[in-house]
Each structure stands twice: as C-alpha cells, then as structure tokens.
Amino acid sequence: MASRVYWLWLATRNGVGPRVTAQLLEHFGDPEAVYAAGRGALLLCGGLTAAQVDALSDKSLDGADRILETCAKKDYHILTLGDSNYPDRLRHIYDPPAVLYWRGQQPLWDTRPMLSIVGTRNASAYGLMMAERFAYSLAESGFLVVSGMADGVDGAANRGALRAPCRAGSIAVLGCGVDICYPIRNAHLFGDLLVGGTLLSEFPPGSEPAGWHFPQRNRIISGLSLATIVIEAPLNSGALITARLALDQGRDVYAAPDRLGESRSAGCNALIRDHEADLLTDPVQLVRAYGGMLREIPDEAKIDRAFRSLTGRPAKDAEPVAKDAEPKHAQKKGKPDLWRQIDEREARGDRRRKASAAKPPHPEQTASDVQRPAQHTPEPSKAGLPPLPEGLSEQERRVLKADRAGARSTDQLIAATGYPAPQLLSIVTMLELDALLRNEGGMISLCE
C-alpha cells in the first residue's frame, strides 16, 4: 500500500480534485506511481489541463509532511482510499475524497447504517423540532445520523442524535478543517461532537471555511448515507442540491411535507410532487425500510413514543442566535459571513424565479401554445440573450459566458474555462442558488 505521505501529496495538489484523482488512480494504480510519473507520462494520461500537469509535476512532499506532523501531534486521524476501514459506501461514489480527516469518537460506519438529515439554516421552530426528533429517534433505533453542523436543521439533527440514550452517535461533515468550528456560535455542539460523535472533513487541518467547500462537502453527507432526509428546504437551496446529489449517487431521498405556500418548505413539497422523494411522516417508516441492516430490530412502538415525546429542551432554545446578536468573535475582521452570502444568493434566486413566472406569454403565442408541453427549440442567438447580472465574480461570469457559447457538460465547461472540476462544480452550484444555471443529469444550462 502506498505511504500516506503520497496520498496527502496527491490530495493537496492545487486544481486536482476528487474526480481527476480517481482518473489518475485508475490510470497509474496508486498515489506513489502518480508521484513517480514524469511530465510526459502525465500528458499521456489524457484529460489533464496544463495547470494540473504543472501541479502534479511539483514533487515536494513538504506540505504533506507538515500535515502528517500536525495530525500526529494533535491526535487528528487520517483515512485514505487505500485504507480498509475507509467507509465502503463513500468509496463507491463517482468522486470519493482521497483523504478524510476525523476527530472525536471512532466512526462506526462499518457497523452502523447511516442516514443523513439536511435542511435550511433559517429553520422554523417546527423544523428544528422535527430535525431533532427524527435524529433522536433514528439514533435511538441504532442508526448513525450524518449532517453538517450548520445553523438550523443540520445542527438540530446532530444535536438530537447526540442526546439519544443509546449513544449511537452522530457525524458532522465540515466545510473546513476538523480543528475549526464554523459557525462559531455552534461551539457547544462542536465540543459535544468531539466527546460523543465524530467531526469529519476532506480538508486538511487549518483549512478555513470557504464558499465552495460547502457544496463540495455535501456529496460526502449524501454519499455516506443509505438515504437523505430533507426537512424544510427552499427551492434551489443547498439542501435541495444535496438531495439531488443523493439521487445521482443512487441513494433514497425522503422529504418531510409542510404547509403549502411556505417558502422554506417549497423544495420539500416539490421533491414529493415530482416523485424524487418519498413523503416522510415518522421514523418508523425508516426503521421498516432499513431496520434489517441493524444488529437488533428496534421496537417500533418505543421509537414512535420517542418521536412523539419531547426530546430534551424545547425547540425554541435550539434556534440559532439572531444574526445581529452574534458574538463579535464569530467572524474574522474583513471576512463576510459565508452563510449570509449563500442566503443572499438563495433570495436572489427566488426573486428571479418569481419574476420569470410572472412574465406574460409572448404575444404571438396562443392559449393552446402556452398549455402545450414545451418542445425542443433551437437555442436563441447569443445576441438576443440578456446582459449578465451585476455582482458576479469573474469566475462566475466566465462560466456563464462559456455556457452561453454552447458548453453544456461538465467536461465541456472545464475545457472552456480551464477550471478544475471541484472549482467548476462549486461555481455551478452557486449559480444554481442564484437561479442562473440549472444542472439536470450532468447537463448544465441557462435558466429561463
């Protein structure tokens, strides 16, 4: 087996993401062989950009050695794709992380089936209560609950699972290093996970949270799990994108319904309406679906009672701190809150969709044309497209321009922009939140 230093070297190559890493491993066999490959052999591999070849031609192991030294000194644990105890379910997704870092309790993913719970950060008291009760009941049944330790539904799910008496535990997948608590207001939950759960990340210790980290980490949340449960997710939200990742990975998706007209649950209701998710009403439904994978079949009546009873402190006490009441140390000076950036994009996306839906039909269309299902029509001329919106980064503008020019698949966009796959997919995700692009089965196109 290749030494861990080569796994760390490969995982930290700038611009070489999980999908390219998987291609390199398939071509060369192991990270040590990739490390030994010269520029000519890398060029023969095919599909690599010039920047990726340059990154792989840098043979310095200093960075990898520093990570190994830090992890050994601080008792952070490392798992690589070459390790037998790497989570098997995650190993078989399309783009598994080459390296995982974890802290806390030894992960039980080899012995306990996992279910993930995701949802909006701006959850209602009802959403927080449902997330906590579902997580509590599932952990009490023996499932390992996976979420993202974010504000709202994710944090409530991690918290609820940790409070279950059976101590099945919970995994929080982070968008930063395992030594960094983000958001800082979840410091108590971070500490509880260190004691009774597991903190997990593909980003090396010391990695600060970044906007593109969170879409990338979502594939781990869904990839670890048998099924993903969505509670309160607006249309085009990050939680809904996690649900689509789960579907792409061949996982089951469940959604908790809510009141019609409630924007924070419009995504859940849409998943159910479009038959992309099963309607979820109680944890017994999940126990019956996946209980055969548990060591002991849970008592359904007991689980039902646990779900319907209060689980610890009232949901109102679990609500996130109001944004204007955050402690001053919650953010570093000069760094805007990442969740707020994503919230603003989701809000802009909602406004764009509402404006598009409110547009009257083209005057030349008849009523029957409006009612008839849309037929494929040639793409309009580029001159007829509206100007790009203000406030986009240069990278986002470049991706939109490439899409307008006819690049539709991920590979075409990578070739047109020169961005590595992880960066490109994160940009696409942000533009999805903004309702400027949609990603359907790997085909990326402009929103109407």
Side-chain angles (χ1 to χ4, degrees), residues 289-362:
Y290 308 107
M293 303 182 71
L294 297 169
R295 290 182 174 180
E296 296 182 8
I297 304 298
D299 182 334
E300 291 185 7
K302 178 182 176 183
I303 298 305
D304 185 64
R305 285 195 301 272
F307 176 66
R308 297 184 187 284
S309 64
L310 291 176
T311 56
R313 66 180 184 273
K316 65 178 182 179
D317 294 336
E319 290 189 64
V321 178
K323 287 183 171 60
D324 58 0
E326 286 183 23
K328 292 182 179 179
H329 63 281
Q331 301 177 31
K332 289 192 175 181
K333 187 175 180 181
K335 283 195 174 183
D337 182 72
L338 295 174
W339 293 144
R340 189 172 292 123
Q341 291 180 32
I342 296 174
D343 287 342
E344 289 170 357
R345 284 181 175 273
E346 290 179 355
R348 284 202 301 266
D350 283 339
R351 289 195 295 271
R352 286 196 177 101
R353 281 192 305 278
K354 288 175 182 175
S356 178
K359 286 181 182 176
H362 193 279

Coordinates of all heavy atoms in Angstrom, one line a residue, residues 289-362:
A289 N -37.9 0.4 6.6 CA -37.2 0.3 5.3 C -35.7 -0.2 5.5 O -35.2 -0.9 4.6 CB -37.1 1.7 4.6
Y290 N -35.1 0.2 6.6 CA -33.6 -0.1 6.7 C -33.3 -0.9 8.0 O -32.1 -1.1 8.3 CB -32.8 1.2 6.7 CG -33.2 2.1 5.5 CD1 -33.9 3.2 5.6 CD2 -32.7 1.7 4.2 CE1 -34.2 4.0 4.5 CE2 -33.1 2.5 3.1 CZ -33.8 3.6 3.3 OH -34.1 4.4 2.2
G291 N -34.3 -1.2 8.8 CA -34.1 -1.9 10.1 C -33.4 -3.2 9.9 O -32.7 -3.7 10.8
G292 N -33.6 -3.8 8.8 CA -32.9 -5.1 8.6 C -31.4 -5.1 8.6 O -30.7 -6.1 8.7
M293 N -30.8 -3.8 8.4 CA -29.4 -3.7 8.4 C -28.8 -3.4 9.8 O -27.6 -3.4 10.0 CB -29.0 -2.5 7.5 CG -29.5 -2.7 6.1 SD -29.0 -1.3 5.0 CE -27.3 -1.6 4.8
L294 N -29.7 -3.3 10.8 CA -29.3 -3.1 12.2 C -29.0 -4.4 12.9 O -29.6 -5.4 12.5 CB -30.4 -2.3 12.9 CG -30.7 -0.9 12.4 CD1 -32.0 -0.4 13.1 CD2 -29.5 0.1 12.7
R295 N -28.2 -4.4 13.9 CA -27.9 -5.6 14.6 C -29.1 -6.1 15.3 O -29.3 -7.3 15.4 CB -26.8 -5.3 15.6 CG -25.4 -5.1 15.0 CD -24.4 -4.9 16.0 NE -23.0 -4.8 15.5 CZ -21.9 -4.6 16.2 NH1 -22.0 -4.5 17.5 NH2 -20.8 -4.6 15.6
E296 N -29.9 -5.2 15.8 CA -31.2 -5.6 16.5 C -32.3 -4.8 15.9 O -32.2 -3.6 15.7 CB -31.1 -5.3 18.0 CG -30.1 -6.2 18.7 CD -30.0 -5.9 20.2 OE1 -31.0 -5.2 20.7 OE2 -29.1 -6.4 20.9
I297 N -33.4 -5.4 15.6 CA -34.6 -4.7 15.1 C -35.2 -3.9 16.2 O -35.6 -4.4 17.3 CB -35.6 -5.7 14.5 CG1 -35.0 -6.6 13.4 CG2 -36.8 -4.9 13.9 CD1 -34.5 -5.8 12.2
P298 N -35.4 -2.6 16.0 CA -35.9 -1.7 17.1 C -37.4 -2.0 17.4 O -38.1 -2.5 16.5 CB -35.7 -0.3 16.5 CG -34.8 -0.4 15.4 CD -35.0 -1.8 14.8
D299 N -37.8 -1.7 18.6 CA -39.2 -1.8 19.0 C -39.9 -0.6 18.4 O -39.7 0.5 18.8 CB -39.3 -1.8 20.5 CG -40.7 -1.9 21.0 OD1 -41.6 -1.5 20.3 OD2 -40.9 -2.4 22.1
E300 N -40.8 -0.8 17.4 CA -41.4 0.2 16.7 C -42.3 1.1 17.6 O -42.3 2.3 17.5 CB -42.3 -0.3 15.5 CG -41.5 -0.9 14.4 CD -42.4 -1.3 13.2 OE1 -43.6 -1.0 13.3 OE2 -41.8 -1.9 12.3
A301 N -43.0 0.5 18.5 CA -43.8 1.3 19.5 C -42.9 2.2 20.3 O -43.3 3.4 20.6 CB -44.6 0.3 20.3
K302 N -41.8 1.7 20.7 CA -40.9 2.5 21.6 C -40.3 3.7 20.8 O -40.2 4.8 21.3 CB -39.7 1.7 22.1 CG -38.7 2.4 22.9 CD -37.5 1.5 23.3 CE -36.4 2.3 24.0 NZ -35.3 1.4 24.4
I303 N -39.9 3.5 19.5 CA -39.4 4.5 18.6 C -40.5 5.5 18.4 O -40.2 6.8 18.3 CB -38.8 3.9 17.3 CG1 -37.7 3.0 17.6 CG2 -38.4 5.0 16.4 CD1 -36.6 3.6 18.5
D304 N -41.7 5.1 18.1 CA -42.8 6.0 17.9 C -43.1 6.9 19.1 O -43.3 8.1 19.0 CB -44.1 5.2 17.5 CG -45.2 6.1 17.1 OD1 -45.1 6.8 16.1 OD2 -46.2 6.2 17.9
R305 N -43.0 6.3 20.3 CA -43.2 7.1 21.5 C -42.1 8.1 21.7 O -42.3 9.3 22.1 CB -43.3 6.2 22.7 CG -44.6 5.4 22.9 CD -44.7 4.8 24.3 NE -43.6 3.9 24.6 CZ -43.6 2.6 24.3 NH1 -44.7 2.1 23.7 NH2 -42.6 1.8 24.6
A306 N -40.8 7.7 21.4 CA -39.7 8.6 21.5 C -39.9 9.8 20.5 O -39.5 10.9 20.9 CB -38.4 7.9 21.2
F307 N -40.4 9.5 19.3 CA -40.5 10.6 18.3 C -41.6 11.6 18.8 O -41.5 12.8 18.6 CB -40.9 9.9 17.0 CG -41.2 10.9 15.9 CD1 -40.2 11.8 15.4 CD2 -42.4 11.1 15.4 CE1 -40.4 12.7 14.4 CE2 -42.7 12.0 14.3 CZ -41.7 12.8 13.9
R308 N -42.7 11.1 19.3 CA -43.8 11.9 19.7 C -43.7 12.6 21.0 O -44.5 13.5 21.3 CB -45.1 11.1 19.6 CG -45.4 10.5 18.2 CD -46.7 9.8 18.1 NE -46.8 9.2 16.8 CZ -47.0 9.8 15.7 NH1 -47.2 11.1 15.7 NH2 -47.1 9.1 14.5
S309 N -42.7 12.2 21.8 CA -42.5 12.9 23.1 C -41.5 14.0 22.9 O -40.8 14.1 21.9 CB -41.9 11.9 24.1 OG -40.7 11.4 23.7
L310 N -41.4 14.9 23.9 CA -40.4 15.9 23.8 C -39.0 15.3 24.0 O -38.8 14.5 24.8 CB -40.7 17.0 24.9 CG -41.9 17.8 24.7 CD1 -42.1 18.7 25.9 CD2 -41.8 18.6 23.5
T311 N -38.0 15.8 23.2 CA -36.7 15.3 23.3 C -35.7 16.3 23.8 O -35.0 17.0 23.1 CB -36.2 14.8 21.9 OG1 -36.3 15.9 21.0 CG2 -37.1 13.7 21.4
G312 N -35.8 16.5 25.1 CA -34.8 17.5 25.7 C -35.5 18.8 25.8 O -36.7 19.0 25.9
R313 N -34.6 19.9 25.6 CA -35.1 21.2 25.8 C -36.0 21.6 24.6 O -35.9 21.1 23.5 CB -33.9 22.2 25.9 CG -33.1 22.3 24.6 CD -32.0 23.3 24.9 NE -31.2 23.6 23.7 CZ -30.1 22.8 23.4 NH1 -29.8 21.8 24.1 NH2 -29.4 23.1 22.3
P314 N -36.9 22.6 24.8 CA -37.8 23.0 23.8 C -37.1 23.5 22.5 O -35.9 24.0 22.6 CB -38.6 24.2 24.4 CG -38.4 24.0 25.9 CD -37.1 23.3 26.1
A315 N -37.7 23.3 21.4 CA -37.1 23.6 20.1 C -36.6 25.1 20.1 O -35.6 25.5 19.5 CB -38.0 23.3 18.9
K316 N -37.4 26.0 20.7 CA -37.1 27.4 20.7 C -35.7 27.7 21.3 O -35.0 28.6 20.8 CB -38.1 28.3 21.4 CG -38.1 28.0 23.0 CD -39.2 28.9 23.6 CE -39.1 28.6 25.2 NZ -40.1 29.5 25.9
D317 N -35.2 26.8 22.2 CA -33.9 27.0 22.8 C -32.8 26.6 21.9 O -31.7 26.8 22.1 CB -33.8 26.2 24.1 CG -34.7 26.8 25.2 OD1 -35.1 28.0 25.1 OD2 -35.1 26.1 26.1
A318 N -33.2 25.8 20.8 CA -32.2 25.3 19.9 C -32.1 26.2 18.7 O -31.3 25.9 17.8 CB -32.6 23.9 19.4
E319 N -32.9 27.2 18.6 CA -32.8 28.1 17.4 C -31.5 28.9 17.4 O -30.9 29.2 18.4 CB -34.0 29.1 17.5 CG -35.4 28.5 17.2 CD -36.4 29.5 17.1 OE1 -36.4 30.3 16.1 OE2 -37.3 29.6 17.9
P320 N -31.0 29.1 16.2 CA -29.7 29.8 16.1 C -29.8 31.3 16.6 O -30.9 31.9 16.6 CB -29.4 29.8 14.6 CG -30.8 29.6 13.9 CD -31.6 28.8 14.9
V321 N -28.7 31.8 17.1 CA -28.6 33.1 17.5 C -29.0 34.1 16.4 O -28.5 33.8 15.2 CB -27.2 33.4 18.1 CG1 -27.1 34.9 18.5 CG2 -26.9 32.5 19.2
A322 N -29.7 35.1 16.6 CA -30.0 36.1 15.6 C -28.8 36.6 15.0 O -27.8 36.9 15.7 CB -30.9 37.2 16.1
K323 N -28.8 36.9 13.7 CA -27.5 37.3 13.1 C -27.0 38.6 13.7 O -25.8 38.8 13.8 CB -27.7 37.5 11.6 CG -27.9 36.1 10.9 CD -28.0 36.3 9.4 CE -27.9 35.0 8.6 NZ -29.0 34.1 9.0
D324 N -27.9 39.5 14.1 CA -27.4 40.8 14.6 C -26.9 40.6 16.1 O -26.5 41.5 16.7 CB -28.4 41.9 14.5 CG -29.7 41.5 15.2 OD1 -29.8 40.4 15.8 OD2 -30.7 42.3 15.2
A325 N -27.1 39.4 16.6 CA -26.7 39.1 18.0 C -25.5 38.2 18.1 O -25.2 37.7 19.2 CB -27.9 38.5 18.8
E326 N -24.9 38.0 17.0 CA -23.7 37.1 17.0 C -22.6 37.7 17.8 O -22.4 38.9 17.9 CB -23.2 36.9 15.6 CG -24.0 36.0 14.7 CD -23.4 35.8 13.4 OE1 -22.2 36.0 13.3 OE2 -24.1 35.5 12.4
P327 N -21.8 36.9 18.5 CA -20.7 37.4 19.2 C -19.7 38.1 18.3 O -19.6 37.6 17.1 CB -20.1 36.2 19.9 CG -20.7 35.0 19.2 CD -22.0 35.4 18.7
K328 N -19.0 39.1 18.8 CA -18.1 39.8 17.9 C -17.0 38.9 17.3 O -16.4 39.2 16.2 CB -17.4 41.0 18.6 CG -18.5 42.1 19.0 CD -17.8 43.2 19.7 CE -18.8 44.3 20.0 NZ -18.2 45.5 20.7
H329 N -16.6 37.8 18.0 CA -15.5 37.0 17.6 C -16.0 35.9 16.6 O -15.3 35.1 16.1 CB -14.9 36.3 18.7 CG -15.8 35.4 19.5 ND1 -16.7 35.8 20.4 CD2 -15.9 34.0 19.5 CE1 -17.3 34.8 20.9 NE2 -16.9 33.7 20.3
A330 N -17.3 36.0 16.2 CA -17.9 35.0 15.3 C -17.3 35.0 13.9 O -17.3 34.1 13.2 CB -19.4 35.1 15.2
Q331 N -16.8 36.2 13.5 CA -16.3 36.4 12.2 C -14.9 37.1 12.3 O -14.7 37.9 13.2 CB -17.2 37.3 11.3 CG -18.6 36.7 11.1 CD -19.4 37.7 10.3 OE1 -18.8 38.4 9.5 NE2 -20.6 37.8 10.6
K332 N -14.0 36.7 11.4 CA -12.8 37.4 11.4 C -13.0 38.8 10.7 O -13.7 38.9 9.7 CB -11.7 36.6 10.6 CG -11.3 35.4 11.4 CD -10.1 34.7 10.8 CE -9.6 33.6 11.6 NZ -8.4 33.0 11.0
K333 N -12.3 39.8 11.1 CA -12.4 41.1 10.6 C -12.2 41.0 9.1 O -11.2 40.5 8.6 CB -11.4 42.0 11.2 CG -11.6 43.5 10.8 CD -10.7 44.4 11.6 CE -10.9 45.8 11.2 NZ -10.0 46.7 11.9
G334 N -13.1 41.7 8.3 CA -12.9 41.7 6.9 C -13.4 40.5 6.1 O -13.4 40.5 4.9
K335 N -13.9 39.5 6.8 CA -14.4 38.3 6.2 C -15.9 38.3 6.3 O -16.4 38.1 7.4 CB -13.8 37.0 6.7 CG -12.4 36.8 6.2 CD -12.0 35.4 6.6 CE -10.7 35.0 5.9 NZ -10.3 33.7 6.2
P336 N -16.7 38.4 5.2 CA -18.2 38.3 5.4 C -18.6 36.9 5.8 O -17.9 36.0 5.5 CB -18.7 38.7 4.0 CG -17.5 38.4 3.1 CD -16.3 38.6 3.9
D337 N -19.8 36.8 6.4 CA -20.3 35.5 6.8 C -20.7 34.7 5.6 O -21.4 35.2 4.8 CB -21.5 35.8 7.7 CG -22.0 34.4 8.2 OD1 -21.4 33.8 9.1 OD2 -23.1 34.0 7.7
L338 N -20.2 33.5 5.5 CA -20.4 32.7 4.3 C -21.9 32.3 4.2 O -22.4 32.2 3.1 CB -19.5 31.4 4.4 CG -18.0 31.7 4.3 CD1 -17.2 30.4 4.5 CD2 -17.7 32.3 2.9
W339 N -22.5 32.0 5.4 CA -23.9 31.6 5.3 C -24.7 32.8 4.8 O -25.7 32.6 4.0 CB -24.4 31.2 6.7 CG -23.8 30.0 7.3 CD1 -23.6 29.8 8.6 CD2 -23.5 28.7 6.6 NE1 -23.1 28.5 8.8 CE2 -23.0 27.8 7.6 CE3 -23.6 28.3 5.3 CZ2 -22.6 26.5 7.3 CZ3 -23.1 27.0 5.0 CH2 -22.7 26.2 6.0
R340 N -24.4 34.0 5.2 CA -25.1 35.1 4.7 C -25.0 35.3 3.2 O -26.0 35.6 2.5 CB -24.7 36.4 5.4 CG -25.5 37.6 5.2 CD -25.2 38.8 6.1 NE -25.4 38.5 7.5 CZ -24.5 38.5 8.4 NH1 -23.3 38.8 8.1 NH2 -24.8 38.3 9.7
Q341 N -23.8 35.0 2.7 CA -23.6 35.1 1.2 C -24.5 34.1 0.5 O -25.2 34.5 -0.5 CB -22.2 34.8 0.9 CG -21.2 35.8 1.3 CD -19.8 35.4 0.9 OE1 -19.6 34.7 -0.1 NE2 -18.8 35.8 1.7
I342 N -24.6 32.9 1.0 CA -25.4 31.9 0.4 C -26.9 32.2 0.6 O -27.7 32.0 -0.4 CB -25.1 30.5 1.0 CG1 -23.6 30.1 0.7 CG2 -26.1 29.4 0.5 CD1 -23.2 28.8 1.3
D343 N -27.3 32.7 1.7 CA -28.7 33.2 1.9 C -29.1 34.2 0.9 O -30.2 34.2 0.3 CB -28.9 33.7 3.3 CG -28.9 32.7 4.4 OD1 -29.1 31.5 4.0 OD2 -28.7 33.0 5.6
E344 N -28.2 35.2 0.7 CA -28.5 36.2 -0.3 C -28.6 35.7 -1.7 O -29.5 36.1 -2.5 CB -27.3 37.3 -0.3 CG -27.3 38.1 1.0 CD -26.1 39.0 1.1 OE1 -25.2 38.9 0.3 OE2 -26.0 39.7 2.1
R345 N -27.8 34.7 -2.0 CA -27.9 34.1 -3.4 C -29.3 33.3 -3.5 O -30.0 33.4 -4.5 CB -26.8 33.1 -3.6 CG -25.5 33.8 -3.9 CD -24.4 32.7 -4.2 NE -23.2 33.4 -4.6 CZ -22.9 33.7 -5.9 NH1 -23.7 33.4 -6.8 NH2 -21.8 34.3 -6.2
E346 N -29.7 32.6 -2.5 CA -31.0 31.9 -2.5 C -32.1 32.9 -2.6 O -33.1 32.7 -3.4 CB -31.1 31.1 -1.2 CG -30.2 29.9 -1.2 CD -30.4 29.1 0.1 OE1 -31.2 29.5 1.0 OE2 -29.8 28.0 0.2
A347 N -32.0 34.0 -1.9 CA -33.0 35.1 -2.0 C -33.1 35.7 -3.4 O -34.2 35.9 -4.0 CB -32.8 36.2 -1.0
R348 N -31.9 35.9 -4.0 CA -31.9 36.5 -5.4 C -32.5 35.4 -6.4 O -33.2 35.8 -7.3 CB -30.5 36.8 -5.8 CG -29.9 38.1 -5.2 CD -28.8 38.6 -6.1 NE -27.7 37.7 -6.2 CZ -26.6 37.7 -5.4 NH1 -26.5 38.5 -4.4 NH2 -25.6 36.8 -5.6
G349 N -32.2 34.2 -6.1 CA -32.7 33.1 -7.0 C -34.3 33.1 -6.9 O -34.9 32.9 -7.9
D350 N -34.8 33.2 -5.7 CA -36.3 33.2 -5.5 C -36.9 34.4 -6.3 O -37.9 34.3 -6.9 CB -36.6 33.3 -4.0 CG -36.5 32.0 -3.3 OD1 -36.5 31.0 -4.0 OD2 -36.3 32.0 -2.1
R351 N -36.2 35.6 -6.2 CA -36.8 36.8 -6.8 C -36.7 36.6 -8.4 O -37.7 36.9 -9.0 CB -36.0 38.0 -6.5 CG -36.2 38.5 -5.0 CD -35.7 39.9 -4.8 NE -34.3 40.0 -5.0 CZ -33.4 39.8 -4.0 NH1 -33.8 39.5 -2.7 NH2 -32.1 40.0 -4.2
R352 N -35.7 36.0 -8.9 CA -35.6 35.7 -10.3 C -36.6 34.8 -10.8 O -37.3 35.0 -11.8 CB -34.2 35.2 -10.7 CG -33.1 36.3 -10.6 CD -31.8 35.8 -11.4 NE -30.9 36.9 -11.3 CZ -29.8 37.0 -10.5 NH1 -29.6 36.0 -9.6 NH2 -29.0 38.0 -10.6
R353 N -36.9 33.7 -10.0 CA -37.9 32.7 -10.4 C -39.3 33.3 -10.4 O -40.1 33.1 -11.3 CB -37.8 31.5 -9.5 CG -36.7 30.5 -9.8 CD -36.9 29.2 -9.1 NE -37.0 29.4 -7.7 CZ -35.9 29.6 -6.8 NH1 -34.7 29.5 -7.3 NH2 -36.1 29.8 -5.6
K354 N -39.6 34.1 -9.4 CA -40.9 34.8 -9.3 C -41.1 35.7 -10.5 O -42.2 35.8 -11.0 CB -41.0 35.5 -8.0 CG -41.2 34.5 -6.8 CD -41.2 35.3 -5.5 CE -41.3 34.3 -4.3 NZ -41.3 35.0 -3.0
A355 N -40.0 36.5 -10.8 CA -40.1 37.4 -11.9 C -40.3 36.7 -13.2 O -41.1 37.1 -14.1 CB -38.9 38.3 -12.0
S356 N -39.6 35.6 -13.4 CA -39.8 34.8 -14.6 C -41.2 34.2 -14.7 O -41.8 34.2 -15.8 CB -38.7 33.7 -14.6 OG -38.9 32.9 -15.8
A357 N -41.7 33.7 -13.6 CA -43.1 33.1 -13.6 C -44.1 34.2 -13.8 O -45.2 33.9 -14.4 CB -43.3 32.4 -12.3
A358 N -43.9 35.4 -13.5 CA -44.9 36.5 -13.6 C -44.9 37.0 -15.0 O -45.8 37.8 -15.4 CB -44.6 37.6 -12.6
K359 N -43.9 36.7 -15.8 CA -43.9 37.3 -17.2 C -45.0 36.7 -18.0 O -45.3 35.5 -18.0 CB -42.6 36.9 -17.9 CG -41.3 37.6 -17.4 CD -40.1 37.2 -18.2 CE -38.9 37.9 -17.7 NZ -37.7 37.4 -18.4
P360 N -45.8 37.6 -18.7 CA -46.9 37.1 -19.6 C -46.3 36.4 -20.8 O -45.2 36.5 -21.1 CB -47.5 38.4 -20.0 CG -46.4 39.5 -20.0 CD -45.6 39.1 -18.8
P361 N -47.1 35.5 -21.4 CA -46.7 34.7 -22.5 C -46.4 35.7 -23.7 O -46.9 36.8 -23.7 CB -47.9 33.8 -22.8 CG -49.0 34.4 -22.2 CD -48.5 35.1 -21.0
H362 N -45.5 35.2 -24.6 CA -45.2 36.0 -25.7 C -46.5 36.3 -26.5 O -47.3 35.5 -26.7 CB -44.2 35.2 -26.6 CG -43.6 36.1 -27.7 ND1 -44.2 36.4 -28.9 CD2 -42.4 36.7 -27.7 CE1 -43.4 37.2 -29.6 NE2 -42.3 37.4 -28.9

